[in-house]
Amino acid sequence: MNHAQTLLKILSANRSCYHSGQQLAGEMGVSRTAVWKAMETLRNQGHSIEGIPNRGYRLLTSTLLYSKERLESLLPSWELHLFDSIDSTNRYAKSLESKKALVLACHQSEGRGRLSRSFYSPQGGLYLSLLFPATFPLSDASLITSAAAVAVSEAIEEKCGKYCRIKWVNDLFYENRKVCGILTEGVLGVESGRLTAVVVGIGLNLFTKRESFQGSLKTIATSLYDGQDSLPSDFSVDDLVACIVQTLEASLDTLGERSFLAAYRERSLVLGHEVRVLSGAAEYVAKAVAIDDEAHLVVEDAFGHQRVLSSGEVSIHLEV
Amino acid sequence: MDSIEHMDLSEVLTLFDSSTLSELEISCSSFSLKLKRPVVGEPVKAMKQSVQETQVKPTPATADNTEELEIITSPIVGTFYLTPAPDAPPYVQVGSKVERGQVLCTIEAMKLMNQLECEYSCEIVEILAKPEQLVEFGQPLFKVKKL
């Protein structure tokens, strides 16, 4: 654990009182200059630390703290890379040489979604990327994103007791607002025509204060818990992370069996509803009638014509 | 440089290189020359040139049809993207020299963003698929020359 992490642990253990620089230096067994440097590191990572002369320092914002030891014991086969703050967990995961790794952060400075769209990643969120070798055939690869959406929903239900629905293809909605985004990236070889590695990036608004979603996010985003105070007393972030990873891993191991599809259909936010389909320049209203065995969405237009939607240029808007 | 017909190609290249121009096109009765800077920082390359006068030093054309060309096809059905983001520079363009392990494009299928990695060094001769369009399995994407 580096000085910044040690300091964060001390400050977050007792948020109500001020910690003097000298006291912190003593507790950490380092110089006051080292404490000051660690403080700067934390501030640069986005933590708000109040400093008052003659009184000391106090951590203001809620900071999500996981326990490395606990995660290691829960996920023994995974190589763990834990950060307070990082530019993007997916970017980091893609740069790793390892076969199987979990990258976890409490804050992303350059969180990214599909086509590099910005993904707002404040404190109070859970940002994790899983790197794993692709063992399944390429024909099953397009099922990964839908399977991941089911796995995360099921882990949330098990550890938080909250039911999320899935907006096709892979957005998780809680109380009709987006609570989680998933970005899956694969590396394909030109000659082999095979996937060599897959990175599944998950951004979950766990306990971000709902009022902190501003602008365009205000009416479309939410979090599972409205602020850290709303977390149940026995809640463990480590347990949730481990459950997400294990559920996803199990689901990917049996991807070809398509056993996740029943839950995928059951949790669908769009099935049976009118949707607006944006496909390139065209836009039409249709009814979502089925999800086929490839997780494609089948829609029926006003004339009774059915279309199977599968690709990225299609964007679905729920008719409210 | 007395007249355009008698200019020294190396001099033009030097001028272009030191300028901030991204493109330069010169044509006259005896030849036409088009220079294009692919990405800031990359060396200037003659993209297309037809020379009739002997005074102008010819440079080799980017694509030599006598050499063997490879076609890279799509391994999956999906949407073809040449850029990592809508406003970002493309991964590759015609004339790009691609190293082993470099990404050529993204093909999206069911929100799975597949980065197509080249397993050998090559030069991009032609881009055969249209960006942001659906590509089929086996559809030609790039014509390349192995290096």
Side-chain angles (χ1 to χ4, degrees), chain B:
Chain B
M1 221 186 282
D2 301 316
S3 74
I4 276 188
E5 276 81 3
H6 295 95
M7 69 179 186
D8 182 356
L9 183 61
S10 65
E11 210 176 317
V12 178
L13 284 175
T14 315
L15 268 173
F16 181 69
D17 207 5
S18 58
S19 76
T20 54
L21 294 172
S22 59
E23 259 181 273
L24 174 70
E25 205 165 346
I26 300 169
S27 45
C28 60
S29 54
S30 55
F31 69 89
S32 73
L33 171 71
K34 191 175 175 186
L35 295 169
K36 198 171 177 184
R37 213 187 291 273
V39 180
V40 179
E42 272 189 29
V44 178
K45 190 172 293 151
M47 299 293 284
K48 196 179 168 189
Q49 192 181 20
S50 60
V51 183
Q52 284 155 8
E53 273 205 5
T54 45
Q55 286 96 326
V56 180
K57 293 173 201 163
T59 54
T62 43
D64 186 349
N65 289 325
T66 59
E67 283 187 46
E68 206 180 319
L69 297 176
E70 302 263 333
I71 301 287
I72 292 176
T73 59
S74 178
I76 50 166
V77 178
T79 309
F80 177 71
Y81 293 100
L82 267 174
T83 58
D87 52 353
Y91 293 111
V92 294
Q93 44 195 325
V94 172
S96 298
K97 296 253 192 332
V98 175
E99 301 280 328
R100 189 173 171 269
Q102 199 174 319
V103 174
L104 297 174
C105 62
T106 296
I107 304 166
E108 173 178 14
M110 290 289 282
K111 309 276 167 177
L112 168 65
M113 311 302 288
N114 292 290
Q115 294 183 324
L116 192 60
E117 246 182 38
C118 205
E119 287 143 324
Y120 47 82
S121 311
C122 63
E123 182 180 326
I124 306 293
V125 175
E126 198 179 343
I127 296 169
L128 304 164
K130 276 193 188 144
E132 287 165 55
Q133 298 289 312
L134 192 74
V135 291
E136 296 295 333
F137 172 81
Q139 184 176 331
L141 303 177
F142 299 96
K143 191 185 277 179
V144 301
K145 186 168 79 183
K146 274 197 179 181
L147 298 174

Side-chain angles (χ1 to χ4, degrees), chain A residues 59-109:
Chain A
L59 188 63
L60 290 181
T61 48
S62 53
T63 299
L64 179 65
L65 265 194
Y66 39 72
S67 151
K68 190 175 186 201
E69 292 72 26
R70 183 148 174 82
L71 281 172
E72 274 170 350
S73 71
L74 290 168
L75 300 168
S77 67
W78 288 80
E79 184 184 300
L80 301 182
H81 298 262
L82 309 178
F83 297 90
D84 292 323
S85 181
I86 194 171
D87 53 355
S88 150
T89 55
N90 258 39
R91 190 181 295 166
Y92 189 87
K94 278 196 289 180
S95 72
L96 293 171
E97 295 287 325
S98 27
K99 283 251 175 280
K100 199 167 117 177
L102 167 68
V103 183
L104 177 65
C106 308
H107 170 254
Q108 289 187 116
S109 56

Side-chain angles (χ1 to χ4, degrees), chain A residues 240-313:
Chain A
L240 177 60
V241 169
C243 189
I244 290 174
V245 173
Q246 286 157 347
T247 314
L248 183 57
E249 192 175 19
S251 169
L252 294 179
D253 281 346
T254 56
L255 198 60
E257 296 169 23
R258 292 162 164 73
S259 48
F260 71 92
L261 278 173
Y264 187 61
R265 292 178 182 122
E266 194 189 299
R267 286 181 186 270
S268 175
L269 193 65
V270 297
L271 267 191
H273 290 277
E274 293 272 294
V275 292
R276 220 161 5 108
V277 182
L278 301 169
S279 176
E283 181 177 340
Y284 58 94
V285 174
K287 190 179 179 189
V289 291
I291 288 173
D292 71 12
D293 285 350
E294 299 305 316
H296 297 163
L297 186 68
V298 183
V299 296
E300 191 175 288
D301 67 17
F303 308 101
H305 297 136
Q306 292 201 346
R307 264 181 256 208
V308 180
L309 310 180
S310 67
S311 197
E313 87 277 18

